[in-house]
Each structure stands twice: as structure tokens, then as C-alpha cells.
Amino acid sequence: MKFLREGLDKVKPHFEKGGKLEKYYYPFEAIETFLFAPNHTTPNKGAHIRDAIDLKRLMTTVIVAMIPCLLFGMWNVGYQHFLATGEAATFGEQFLLGAIHVLPIVVVAYAAGLGVEFVFSIVRKHPINEGFLVTGMLIPLIMPVTIPLWQVALATIFAVLIGKEVFGGTGMNILNVALTARAFLYFAYPTDISGEVWTYFGNATPLEGYTGATPLAIAQSTPAGESVVDAIQNASFIKGSAFVDLFMGYLPGSIGETSTLMCLIGAALLILTGVGSWKIILSAFAGAYGMGLLFNALSLNPYMAMPAEYQLVIGGLAFGIVFMATDPVTAAHTELGKWIYGALIGILTVIIRVVNPAYPEGIMLAILLMNVFAPLIDHYVVQANKNRRLRRATV
């Protein structure tokens, strides 16, 4: 790394004030701080805060927490391909096929998003922070592997521009940026991000009878009088117990969100490091489970009668709760507000899934809606605390 440090030191004067590349200082600074720890020191005056965590370490922790989902997603893409086509393949061949088709999506998301960040840093003359490092990983993980790369680039640019930069950049956005990208594609190009687009076939022909429908679509289309669990158990991608396979993630879906187990591993890391809020995660799962039990009591159709625990392991519920509902910028910040915010995400997700036949998955809309209401929840929690203390003061 010494030669990199020497190379950066050699060209750095050109980017500093008075240099011929002065206007490109912030992109240069971003590259320098990505490669090496900055030599900034605390000023003699002002507030001094001693803490081991900063934005770069926080974002790095989230990315590390997502790695299990990324690696499993790469393998699952290959596994679903060979399962659908009936071809025999080793673990390595399955993982390699998935990696070949997933990594380009990751590269395009980072290139498009960082390109917008660099342009805004030059125009607005402000530093580039590490916020997009997480968003750039989240976007590929919530996409189907068959998504065209140009759509990934377009959605990423739209999300960074409209979801973040127009509000002032990282820390000022109202909506989760990655979900803004997915929502853009869902409404702009619905045929490429919904339906049976979750399995990569390439030039191969799927086996006769293979449908590629996800568990959410199966649950939504189960006829009256039949069991959703039986319908999922008979799906072509289920090879063992339906619940276990769903929990493990052996099913078609977005690249990184099929495995509840991998999401829980990521959740454990986020909670142990203090990066993710366990209150939001726990209350969101509890809200979804409680709403599932309420629908079980009503049982007006097969979807409502589906056991409540299945709501926790199908679709992108676990991934959305762990990695996007806990976004420290767009989530509620008060302690009571976190419980309310998380519970409502879980409840709304199940309601949207079961009640809205046009949209089998509900976690995206539930999180985006609660992002909008998070400041209002915090406001009323703070106001209630103030009113309670005022009543004590006047006694």
C-alpha cells in the first residue's frame, strides 16, 4: 500500500486549493479516504466526542452484515437455474453461474450511483460521504437476477437524485434510497420486476410444468377450499419441508432476500455492534406475526388461513426489516417511536400482501409509507413526554 500512498501524495497538490484540478478535490478526497484513514484531528476548541464508531465504520458494518445474503443469493441464482432446467451441477458450478450474473448488477449500481455522487460533489462543492456504499449493495440485492442492467443504472440514478440529493444528500433523505429505486422500477417497468421473472433460464428450456411462481404468488392464487401450505409444498422448487426450505431460502425471488436465515445472521451482527435497532427488528416481526394471527382468526380466504409463521419466511419481509426498516436516517429515532414504527411496518406488510391482489409483496410499500410517518411518530412521542413532565411540574 506504500506505493499507493506515495502516488496519492504526489498528485494531491494538483487537487488542493490553487491547483489546476481544484474543482475535483472532493472526488479525490473520497478516493483517498476510501483507501486510507484520514489524518483529520480534533480542533482545540469545540465539543470533543470520543467514540470508536464513525460513518465509514457504520457503513462498513452494514455491508459486512449483507455479505451472507449476497453470497447465498449468488448460489441460489445458480441453484434455481439448474433446478428449473433439470441439469445436474456441482455447488461450485451453481455459485459460479450466479456470480457471473449477479456481480454485473452490483458493479452497475455502484458505478451509476457513485457517478451521480461525484457530479453533485463537484457542483455543490461538498465532500462525498460513505452513505452510498450501503445503498449500492442494497439495490442489487432487492432486484431479480433477470433485470436489464440499463434499468439498474436508470433506477439507481433516479433514486440518488430524487430520493436523496434533492433533499440535501446523505442524512437528509426522507425515503429509503434503495427502496426508491425498486419503487421506480415497479411502476415504470412492472413486467421486468414482477410476475415470473425471478429465475434465470438463459438459453436453456425449463422443465415441463415448471412455473417459477414465488410463494407469495402461490399464496395469492390458491383457490378457495385449498390450503396455501399444501400449494407451496407442491411447488417445483420445494424439495423438503416447505417451511424449512422457505426459511433457508431455497426459492425463486430477489437476489439477496430469499433466505431468512442469512438475514438473521446479518441482524445479529447489526444488533451486537449497535448499528441496527433491535427494537425495530423485533417489533416489525411481532407486528407481522400478530397480523397473521388476526387473519388466521378471520380465515375469509386461503391466504388469510395460511399459518402466521409463514408470513415471516416468505417474500422479502426479513430482508426489508433487517436492512431497510432500520435505516438510521429514515426510521423513527425515539425509543417508543421505534416500537410503533417497526410494529406498523410488520402489520402493514401483511395487510398489503393479503388484501391487495395486485401486489403480492408488501414490505416495500410498508417501509416507504412508514418512512414518511416516522417524523410524525417521533413528534407525538416527544410531545407526549413534554406534556407528561409539564403535568408533573404543575402538581
Side-chain angles (χ1 to χ4, degrees):
M1 298 299 288
K2 185 178 178 181
F3 74 98
L4 273 177
R5 181 68 268 172
E6 292 176 350
L8 289 172
D9 290 339
K10 187 176 180 180
V11 300
K12 189 172 184 177
H14 298 300
F15 293 92
E16 294 178 328
K17 190 173 183 179
K20 58 183 178 182
L21 300 175
E22 177 185 350
K23 65 179 179 180
Y24 300 112
Y25 172 75
Y26 289 115
F28 172 82
E29 182 196 42
I31 296 172
E32 183 185 28
T33 55
F34 179 77
L35 295 173
F36 299 98
N39 59 353
H40 301 161
T41 56
T42 305
N44 295 328
K45 296 182 179 179
H48 290 191
I49 300 175
R50 294 177 62 86
D51 198 329
I53 194 75
D54 58 13
L55 186 59
K56 180 181 289 185
R57 292 183 179 86
L58 188 146
M59 295 301 171
T60 302
T61 303
V62 180
I63 292 174
V64 171
M66 285 191 285
I67 287 178
C69 291
L70 174 65
L71 296 178
F72 182 88
M74 289 181 181
W75 170 80
N76 191 48
V77 166
Y79 172 72
Q80 293 299 327
H81 168 82
F82 289 112
L83 183 67
T85 58
E87 302 174 32
T90 64
F91 176 88
E93 290 171 333
Q94 293 166 349
F95 185 85
L96 180 61
L97 179 70
I100 289 172
H101 291 88
V102 171
L103 290 179
I105 300 176
V106 177
V107 172
V108 168
Y110 271 117
L114 289 175
V116 176
E117 295 272 4
F118 277 29
V119 170
F120 267 80
S121 74
I122 295 170
V123 173
R124 289 184 168 179
K125 295 182 172 55
H126 66 64
I128 299 172
N129 59 46
E130 296 80 1
F132 187 76
L133 294 179
V134 170
T135 304
M137 182 64 76
L138 280 172
I139 290 175
L141 294 182
I142 59 175
M143 296 289 169
V145 69
T146 57
I147 192 80
L149 293 179
W150 67 269
Q151 288 188 15
V152 177
L154 185 62
T156 304
I157 292 170
F158 175 87
V160 176
L161 277 174
I162 305 301
K164 188 170 75 169
E165 293 298 342
V166 296
F167 292 101
T170 299
M172 305 298 290
N173 50 298
I174 297 174
L175 303 175
N176 183 282
V177 180
L179 283 179
T180 304
R182 178 165 170 139
F184 169 80
L185 287 180
Y186 181 77
F187 292 109
Y189 306 98
T191 57
D192 291 317
I193 200 167
S194 59
E196 298 178 7
V197 299
W198 311 104
T199 302
Y200 168 75
F201 296 117
N203 296 323
T205 303
L207 293 171
E208 184 177 353
Y210 182 86
T211 63
T214 64
L216 287 169
I218 294 173
Q220 193 68 257
S221 60
T222 301
E226 296 186 13
S227 165
V228 170
V229 174
D230 290 342
I232 294 176
Q233 184 66 57
N234 294 328
S236 52
F237 54 83
I238 297 294
K239 297 302 176 186
S241 164
F243 185 82
V244 173
D245 281 9
L246 294 176
F247 177 76
M248 296 300 293
Y250 307 145
L251 64 151
S254 296
I255 293 170
E257 67 178 26
T258 62
S259 176
T260 304
L261 175 62
M262 296 301 133
C263 294
L264 292 180
I265 292 174
L269 177 60
L270 294 180
I271 292 172
L272 290 174
T273 55
V275 172
S277 168
W278 67 270
K279 296 174 182 175
I280 292 176
I281 295 173
L282 180 60
S283 60
F285 277 114
Y289 186 69
M291 198 65 221
L293 289 176
L294 180 59
F295 277 138
N296 288 168
L298 297 175
S299 293
L300 299 179
N301 58 46
Y303 204 167
M304 287 188 178
M306 183 179 74
E309 60 269 23
Y310 277 73
Q311 294 285 0
L312 308 182
V313 296
I314 62 176
L317 179 81
F319 187 87
I321 289 174
V322 173
F323 296 110
M324 291 184 280
T326 56
D327 181 352
V329 176
T330 56
H333 292 86
T334 56
E335 297 308 309
L336 177 59
K338 291 176 183 177
W339 287 105
I340 298 171
Y341 168 85
L344 287 176
I345 285 177
I347 292 170
L348 287 173
T349 299
V350 176
I351 290 176
I352 294 171
R353 282 177 173 178
V354 177
V355 175
N356 182 3
Y359 192 67
E361 179 56 282
I363 187 68
M364 178 187 76
L365 294 181
I367 293 176
L368 289 176
L369 182 62
M370 292 314 302
N371 285 167
V372 175
F373 282 97
L376 188 64
I377 293 172
D378 283 338
H379 168 77
Y380 280 110
V381 169
V382 171
Q383 192 62 44
N385 288 336
K386 288 170 64 178
N387 292 339
R388 186 167 57 252
R389 292 180 181 182
L390 284 173
R391 284 196 298 271
R392 289 176 184 167
T394 56
V395 171

